[in-house]
Amino acid sequence: MEKLDEMTGPILGSSSEKYTHGHHASVVAAHAVRRASEAAAFVLPQLKSPMRVLDFGCGPGTITNDLAEYLLPDGSLVGIDSSDAVIEQARNAATEKNIANVEFEVNSIYETGYESSGFDAAYAHQVLQHLSEPVRALEEVKRVLKPGGICAVREVDWGASAIWPNDERLSKFFDVYSKVAERNGGDAFAGRRLKQWFTDAGFSDLVVTTSTWTFAEGSGLKWWGDQWADRILSSDLAKRAVEYGIATDSDLKDISQGWLDWVQAEGAFFSFIQVEVVGERA
Ligand SMILES: C[S@@+](CC[C@H](N)C(=O)[O-])C[C@H]1O[C@@H](n2cnc3c(N)ncnc32)[C@H](O)[C@@H]1O
């Protein structure tokens, strides 16, 4: 069995917490298509020069590097992630694009070590759903924000998804995904809990919105199905599913074929909601 993409070094949540997807090339490639214009649209008007912004769980940094441009001329960003592999990728991308107002560091949002009140804003995209202690992470964000600073987070809710045509193999995919996420300490239905987590962490003046990701045609639909057909066989999701006894290799092959067939199916459709919360540190 290949070595799993364990997080070593940075401080984690409960000892059983594991990042569900890992950083297999199929996962990182899927994250690297994300852009701030979509993933941060709900907060972009509030992020401007000369703010100092923290992007926690920044992954390969495509969103972070976009945000850096929105903060010009005098704003700056720090992107942190517990994986050194993705931080290196993010740093290289910033260097290639000559983006000078961004820094990337391997660090954990549970305990960043940053001074209190050092940031004007914090942002995260699809991160808290993977943490066993999301409120503790938000409390650390609150600590590093200035009074009046904002925290903006977007999390999917896999329970608010719709797929057509019906296919038992894809129903199995949803079941496997949510069970592995839960066993890893996360929550595939995080979107619906995000407002509560902000409240529990002591943020005020919450603004809650939703948007959707929809794959219904052309290259977008094909990309969505193909990447899950790959990830369900080769990412840490697959390895953990087998390790935990949630699915067999044969189940995973069926699910993968289910996604490939979905790409070809007449009337293929997939959509789910993204929950977005912006809260203020009083
Ligand atoms: C689903 S990815 C999202 C990446 C990026 N925000 C995006 O939307 O493309 C979640 C990221 O959170 C990181 N992560 C998990 N636990 C973390 C922690 N305690 N502190 C910082 N990053 C963490 C993972 O390594 C992973 O890169």
Side-chain angles (χ1 to χ4, degrees):
M1 196 174 190
E2 279 173 51
K3 189 177 169 294
L4 290 172
D5 188 359
E6 299 282 5
M7 293 186 290
T8 53
I11 291 155
L12 304 178
S14 69
S15 57
S16 59
E17 180 180 307
K18 293 177 183 70
Y19 171 47
T20 291
H21 300 298
H23 296 93
H24 183 267
S26 59
V27 175
V28 178
H31 294 165
V33 302
R34 295 177 182 166
R35 308 306 305 250
S37 54
E38 193 282 328
F42 67 103
V43 68
L44 274 182
Q46 293 173 76
L47 301 180
K48 24 180 127 127
S49 174
M51 286 176 135
R52 181 164 169 78
V53 178
L54 175 67
D55 179 359
F56 58 98
C58 65
T62 48
I63 302 170
T64 330
N65 283 327
D66 281 351
L67 289 176
E69 297 192 32
Y70 286 88
L71 292 169
L72 289 172
D74 297 319
S76 62
L77 266 149
V78 178
I80 64 167
D81 200 287
S82 47
S83 160
D84 46 6
V86 290
I87 284 296
E88 194 185 335
Q89 185 171 335
R91 245 185 227 139
N92 290 342
T95 306
E96 269 168 35
K97 293 181 173 173
N98 288 320
I99 301 173
N101 60 337
V102 68
E103 293 163 60
F104 289 99
E105 289 176 6
V106 179
N107 203 339
S108 169
I109 193 53
Y110 284 124
E111 200 175 319
T112 60
Y114 297 140
E115 61 171 351
S116 299
S117 310
F119 291 92
D120 299 288
Y123 168 80
H125 190 249
Q126 317 297 356
V127 177
L128 295 181
Q129 65 194 272
H130 298 295
L131 304 186
S132 56
E133 298 180 68
V135 175
R136 188 178 139 214
L138 285 174
E139 285 168 349
E140 171 66 357
V141 172
K142 204 168 65 134
R143 186 188 70 75
V144 301
L145 282 176
K146 294 176 183 166
I150 56 163
C151 177
V153 178
R154 190 187 203 209
E155 299 289 335
V156 71
D157 191 316
W158 279 92
S161 58
I163 190 158
W164 183 261
N166 292 326
D167 186 321
E168 273 181 25
R169 296 168 299 178
L170 299 183
S171 302
K172 176 88 180 167
F173 168 81
F174 295 119
D175 188 51
V176 169
Y177 181 75
S178 57
K179 283 183 174 152
V180 173
E182 187 181 359
R183 183 73 189 272
N184 282 342
D187 186 348
F189 310 128
R192 70 191 66 182
R193 299 176 68 185
L194 191 54
K195 178 183 162 191
Q196 183 75 59
W197 290 339
F198 268 74
T199 303
D200 292 349
F203 282 95
S204 58
D205 296 319
L206 305 189
V207 176
V208 183
T209 52
T210 59
S211 52
T212 56
W213 283 6
T214 298
F215 302 97
E217 60 199 350
S219 57
L221 181 149
K222 181 167 163 37
W223 173 81
W224 183 249
D226 285 351
Q227 54 107 28
W228 281 117
D230 190 4
R231 289 169 66 171
I232 198 62
L233 293 180
S234 44
S235 71
D236 283 9
L237 169 62
K239 293 171 193 149
R240 302 281 185 205
V242 174
E243 180 190 320
Y244 297 155
I246 291 168
T248 63
D249 283 327
S250 160
D251 291 333
L252 299 181
K253 280 186 191 135
D254 283 350
I255 292 170
S256 178
Q257 189 57 50
W259 276 115
L260 294 175
D261 292 345
W262 175 81
V263 166
Q264 302 297 333
E266 192 187 330
F269 173 89
F270 178 85
S271 183
F272 56 14
I273 70 162
Q274 307 286 337
V275 181
E276 301 140 350
V277 179
V278 181
E280 189 178 311
R281 182 198 159 176

